[in-house]
Amino acid sequence: MGTLLKVENLVIELSTTKGVAPVIDDLSFELQAGQTLSFVGESGCGKSMTALGIMGLLPEKVGRIASGSILFNGEDITKATDDRLREIRGNDISMIFQEPMTSLNPVFSIGEQIAEVLRRHQKLEKAAAWAQAIELLDAVRIPDAKRRASSYPHQLSGGQRQRVMIAMALACEPRILIADEPTTALDVTIQAQIFDLLEDLRAQTGTAIIMITHDMGVVAEIAERMIVMYAGRMVEQGQVDHVLSHPRHPYTKGLIDCVPHLMATLTEQRAELTEISGIVPSLAEFGQDTCLFASRCHLANQQCLQARPTEQHFNEQQLVACWRAGEV
Amino acid sequence: MSNFSKPTDSSTSQAGSQTIERARHPAADALGMFVKNRAAAVALFVLVLIVVAGIVGPIVYETDPYDMVWAPFSPPGQEGFLFGTDYLGRDILAGILHGTRVSLLVGLSAALMTVFIGVTVGALAGFFRGWVEELLMRITEFFQVLPTLLFSMVIVALFGPTLTVITIAIGAVSWPAVARITRAEFLRIRELEYVTASRASGTRNAKLMFSVILPNALPPIIVQAALMVGSAILFEAGLSFLGLTDPNIVSWGQIIGSNRPYILDASYTVTFPGVAIFVTVLCLSLVGDGLNDALNPKLRQR
């Protein structure tokens, strides 16, 4: 399995009223074919910006890729033309969004919307695209797909709509599927179904998945590798089991401790459920040459305030950006 | 968790709890809403009658509106002339029936032109933003601040009072409203998630504009277009009243305009065409309101 996506020293800048802020600050990672990679972090840490940056869908005139490269199969897509990007979007890299209730066009039937993607990228005929759309709906377990294909989005439940979104995203068998908090708006039971579905489809098609979430439980369940983001910077990355069992960054540890463990309630000793005090710094503070987590960190010392932490390796697999990583 | 992984489990539980309703196009729902609005439904019915009268009337009622058929100023109902005759002894009923075609045609074509220009300008401005929007909206504002009646009079006076020129004159002064509505809708819809999602699946700009955003922006534009037909008919009547009309073609406004000097002596000569204009514009306005209710999702629950 080769490297499918290689992001190197990516910097994405966002213009705000107070000036330009680096919402993604020197991010590097690799995605192997068929792998599931998870981005974790609080709101406003740059997870969604990373996804939009890869898709070339940063908000016009506000966000831009300032430096770095995104290599898809060796091709730098930060330098690709609009036409080339349109070829890639939906065909090689596709995306599903957080809000299934509003991500479908209300005036077209779901079958038409899926068929549209197929006709655009696979150049299928109308009838063939429709037949394929029905098959896709069936593959994402929409009951009675043949009849359902002519339903309109408002006639479907949230879970069904997210399935339709997945069907549409997977229509052209993309190499990479970016899922931006795909289950945040859904019931817990539906969440589990959606994850199982993604897992099954990944096994069938070999599509690599980039899963963006703030839920450590989700990460533990489906991802192989994870990247923890804080204030636009990568703070820790590595194999999920390594990171979860031995977090090296105080922020990662904090995130893990925030999640209640069902098993813990069965024993006499119950671990205290903690929170990370404070909030993510505002955009104006992004990009400073300090550890941006220092204000919320109980281990912070002078060094943390004076220089941005360098990235250090732990057991070859884990990469951590923290001055005090050894003490966590 | 594992029990969800079998496809049969999830499908049966969903199919059981939910009966699949027949897939209906959103337009079908809107039609249902429209019919529930009694005033709008009646207005639509009357409007259909008027259109039929315009099409069939001149064929059935063969009297030429330009023929002198009887003594001038014969009051309504006498000598078999239902609406009487005018100052030249011409049959007013024939004039109204023949004028229906012209008035409706001018109203419709002016409204179509208005919508065409307005939607194009508004869509480009709202979709591309930036300098395109600045330029187009400044042009729109320029047209908006011109006194409409005066401007259209200038156009008609310059190019001569033919129906085409009158229609163009009406269209040229009415499109800014549609352009502004379209732009506002585009600005709103372009930020919605399904547009981003569509962009993320590789849709081209032209397609995004006209097959993703425009269909969703249509409801207020349709309502405006219906009202536009009414105001175009009024506009044409206004121009005719001032004498800016083709004297060889009968329209409602033209009948009123030519009988203007006798308004005190034979008021019926202007009353009947006036009533025709009033009823038509009122119906168009009610239909517009009905469409507004039917197409506005916020009012659906009422």
Side-chain angles (χ1 to χ4, degrees):
Chain A
M1 287 203 285
T3 303
L4 199 57
L5 188 74
K6 188 169 182 177
V7 174
E8 280 177 326
N9 305 102
L10 183 69
V11 178
I12 295 177
E13 287 178 348
L14 215 56
S15 312
T16 64
T17 46
K18 288 175 193 152
V20 179
V23 281
I24 297 295
D25 197 351
D26 200 18
L27 174 71
S28 301
F29 68 91
E30 282 182 16
L31 177 70
Q32 311 296 325
Q35 196 176 44
T36 304
L37 171 70
S38 195
F39 276 86
V40 203
E42 284 165 278
S43 304
C45 284
K47 296 167 295 175
S48 295
M49 277 297 155
T50 312
L52 293 177
I54 296 170
M55 295 299 291
L57 290 174
L58 290 170
E60 284 165 72
K61 294 180 187 77
V62 181
R64 67 183 194 99
I65 293 176
S67 63
S69 59
I70 300 169
L71 299 171
F72 171 68
N73 261 344
E75 178 188 359
D76 189 350
I77 52 179
T78 60
K79 296 187 177 67
T81 61
D82 279 358
D83 277 341
R84 175 72 188 124
L85 273 179
R86 270 194 286 271
E87 269 174 42
I88 294 174
R89 283 181 209 146
N91 196 29
D92 294 315
I93 307 179
S94 56
M95 184 161 174
I96 50 181
F97 291 83
Q98 187 167 350
E99 274 294 339
M101 308 308 275
T102 55
S103 296
L104 289 165
N105 192 336
V107 299
F108 295 106
S109 71
I110 56 174
E112 281 170 325
Q113 294 188 51
I114 299 173
E116 174 60 38
V117 179
L118 288 163
R119 289 172 68 188
R120 185 181 317 130
H121 290 297
Q122 312 271 310
K123 308 279 180 270
L124 290 185
E125 291 297 311
K126 205 168 182 175
W130 182 261
Q132 179 93 35
I134 291 171
E135 254 173 62
L136 281 159
L137 286 173
D138 197 47
V140 295
R141 298 168 202 161
I142 297 277
D144 200 6
K146 203 165 188 172
R147 233 144 49 97
R148 270 293 182 197
S150 46
S151 295
Y152 289 86
H154 71 272
Q155 294 164 323
L156 305 183
S157 68
Q160 285 173 326
R161 286 190 217 186
Q162 195 60 290
R163 287 161 196 270
V164 173
M165 287 303 295
I166 293 172
M168 208 185 298
L170 294 177
C172 301
E173 304 201 351
R175 310 289 301 278
I176 302 174
L177 173 69
I178 301 175
D180 187 358
E181 309 218 17
T183 57
T184 308
L186 302 176
D187 281 350
V188 189
T189 49
I190 308 293
Q191 280 186 22
Q193 294 177 23
I194 296 288
F195 286 134
D196 284 336
L197 178 64
L198 281 173
E199 199 51 48
D200 283 3
L201 293 172
R202 184 177 71 108
Q204 284 166 26
T205 59
T207 300
I209 298 178
I210 295 179
M211 173 74 69
I212 293 169
T213 179
H214 54 246
D215 187 341
M216 277 293 184
V218 172
V219 179
E221 194 178 323
I222 73 161
E224 293 158 61
R225 279 185 74 81
M226 63 188 283
I227 297 177
V228 183
M229 299 283 292
Y230 186 77
R233 294 174 183 172
M234 188 276 291
V235 295
E236 184 158 6
Q237 93 169 261
Q239 292 292 118
V240 168
D241 44 355
H242 291 185
V243 177
L244 289 184
S245 57
H246 299 290
R248 301 288 180 179
H249 195 285
Y251 181 59
T252 317
K253 188 166 178 353
L255 284 180
I256 295 168
D257 290 344
C258 288
V259 182
H261 293 275
L262 195 59
M263 293 307 290
T265 57
L266 297 176
T267 59
E268 280 296 303
Q269 276 187 321
R270 229 174 278 176
E272 196 76 21
L273 198 58
T274 57
E275 57 169 326
I276 309 174
S277 58
I279 52 164
V280 180
S282 73
L283 276 180
E285 290 165 59
F286 277 38
Q288 290 171 354
D289 189 21
T290 62
C291 174
L292 292 172
F293 186 61
S295 63
R296 300 170 71 181
C297 179
H298 61 280
L299 292 169
N301 62 12
Q302 270 312 104
Q303 192 186 16
C304 302
L305 296 171
Q306 277 160 2
R308 177 174 174 179
T310 51
E311 293 175 3
Q312 18 181 331
H313 280 278
F314 280 85
N315 356 311
E316 294 301 305
Q317 293 290 326
Q318 225 163 323
L319 197 60
V320 182
C322 175
W323 292 122
R324 314 281 312 263
E327 294 157 55
V328 176
Chain B
M1 182 129 319
S2 58
N3 55 339
F4 285 118
S5 59
K6 276 180 244 147
T8 45
D9 282 14
S10 53
S11 57
T12 45
S13 65
Q14 270 169 2
S17 64
Q18 204 178 6
T19 49
I20 297 172
E21 48 183 317
R22 209 165 56 87
R24 290 211 318 173
H25 194 274
D29 291 336
L31 187 70
M33 277 295 297
F34 183 85
V35 176
K36 271 190 199 157
N37 181 340
R38 287 246 181 88
V42 170
L44 185 65
F45 179 70
V46 174
L47 214 51
V48 169
L49 285 185
I50 293 171
V51 171
V52 170
I55 297 170
V56 181
I59 301 167
V60 177
Y61 195 82
E62 280 176 325
T63 312
D64 186 324
Y66 280 105
D67 273 358
M68 284 179 68
V69 288
W70 196 245
F73 298 129
S74 81
Q78 290 187 6
E79 314 296 339
F81 299 110
L82 192 60
F83 291 171
T85 59
D86 73 354
Y87 70 105
L88 288 176
R90 299 179 293 199
D91 187 348
I92 291 178
L93 176 60
I96 289 177
L97 285 177
H98 280 80
T100 309
R101 281 185 184 182
V102 176
S103 291
L104 288 180
L105 206 65
V106 168
L108 268 179
S109 16
L112 270 181
M113 184 176 154
T114 304
V115 168
F116 182 76
I117 303 176
V119 165
T120 312
V121 169
L124 289 170
F127 187 80
F128 287 110
R129 319 260 315 258
W131 67 267
V132 179
E133 183 182 18
E134 284 297 318
L135 179 73
L136 290 174
M137 289 334 277
R138 290 305 86 77
I139 295 173
T140 308
E141 275 157 19
F142 173 77
F143 274 88
Q144 212 169 13
V145 294
L146 288 173
T148 48
L149 189 60
L150 221 56
F151 181 46
S152 51
M153 280 168 71
V154 170
I155 297 179
V156 176
L158 277 179
F159 298 100
T162 67
L163 273 189
T164 321
V165 171
I166 291 170
T167 307
I168 291 174
I170 297 171
V173 299
S174 318
W175 63 267
V178 177
R180 294 181 67 95
I181 291 174
T182 310
R183 169 178 160 270
E185 281 296 290
F186 266 64
L187 286 177
R188 178 178 70 81
I189 294 169
R190 80 194 292 279
E191 304 300 333
L192 295 182
E193 233 171 8
Y194 58 80
V195 177
T196 314
S198 183
R199 222 186 266 273
S201 71
T203 313
R204 316 188 146 267
N205 279 346
K207 191 135 197 157
L208 271 181
M209 269 172 83
F210 295 109
S211 11
V212 179
I213 303 182
L214 187 59
N216 286 288
L218 274 183
I221 298 173
I222 292 173
V223 172
Q224 186 68 20
L227 298 176
M228 228 23 127
V229 178
S231 65
I233 291 173
L234 275 181
F235 216 110
E236 189 270 341
L239 286 173
S240 304
F241 185 76
L242 297 171
L244 291 163
T245 182
D246 191 339
N248 301 315
I249 296 172
V250 200
S251 73
W252 294 336
Q254 191 249 13
I255 303 175
I256 297 177
S258 60
N259 285 296
R260 190 180 41 175
Y262 319 103
I263 200 166
L264 292 177
D265 303 318
S267 59
Y268 58 87
T269 52
V270 295
T271 307
F272 292 115
V275 167
I277 294 172
F278 169 75
V279 171
T280 310
V281 175
L282 177 70
C283 286
L284 282 164
S285 182
L286 287 173
V287 167
D289 278 354
L291 283 174
N292 191 31
D293 291 356
L295 298 174
N296 189 342
K298 288 200 192 99
L299 300 173
R300 286 259 167 88
Q301 315 314 332
R302 286 202 311 205

